[in-house]
Amino acid sequence: DRARQGVGAMVLAEESLDSQALEHIAGLVKIQPKWSAIPFILLTSNGDRIFSAGKALLEQSGIRGNLVLLERPVRRVTLRTAVEAALLTRHRQYELRDHMEELIRQQERLRQAQKIESIGLLAGGIAHDFNNLLTGILGNASLALSSLPVSSPDRALLQGVVQASERAAHLTRQLLAYAGKGRFVVEALDLSQQVREISALIQTSIPSAVQ
């Protein structure tokens, strides 16, 4: 169980290679990610025999190039050197994992940046086209409004058109600012006044039960 949580290396004795142990080793190797190859150090009292039998069993469990055989009796310095080399190999595997994960994060950040850039370009293009349409609407509505008598009941309708066009023009400026082709203006706003101004525009979209 502890090996499944992550280990630097595993030191096995020849006599521990029973069927149950080999089953656990095979399961452990199977669940390892692609970057992981746990180093195994196998202690044997007979190098020739273990090379032909125990090594073959371990290879059947999925262990390949990360297996080191040490014939007993093993000198302390030899075992220490083998373990240190195994741990160094394992450390480099974790460094590779971290490098791969960082590459994945960088690629994701790049995709997000490209997505935002494409949305900005789309928003900018729409804003320009929409602004051209609004110029005609606002200009014609303003001319029509100026030609009507002050007492004309149609002035209120045209004033609504002018106000709606001005608010739409403000929206296009926001889109251009989002696309990096304009600028944001930070200023204080009267939210109640803003609500009153847009209430007539959105009234038809709001259910009658909403106040």
Side-chain angles (χ1 to χ4, degrees), residues 26 42 81 93-94 101 118 124 130 140 147 156 170-171 187:
L42 184 61
T81 301
Q93 291 175 14
Y94 278 103
E101 290 178 351
S118 63
F130 193 54
N140 290 326
S147 66
H170 179 66
L171 176 61
E187 59 184 359

Side-chain angles (χ1 to χ4, degrees), residues 126-128 130-131 134 167-177:
I126 293 175
H128 276 299
F130 193 54
N131 195 53
L134 284 174
R167 283 191 289 268
H170 179 66
L171 176 61
T172 60
R173 287 194 293 272
Q174 290 180 321
L175 286 173
L176 287 171

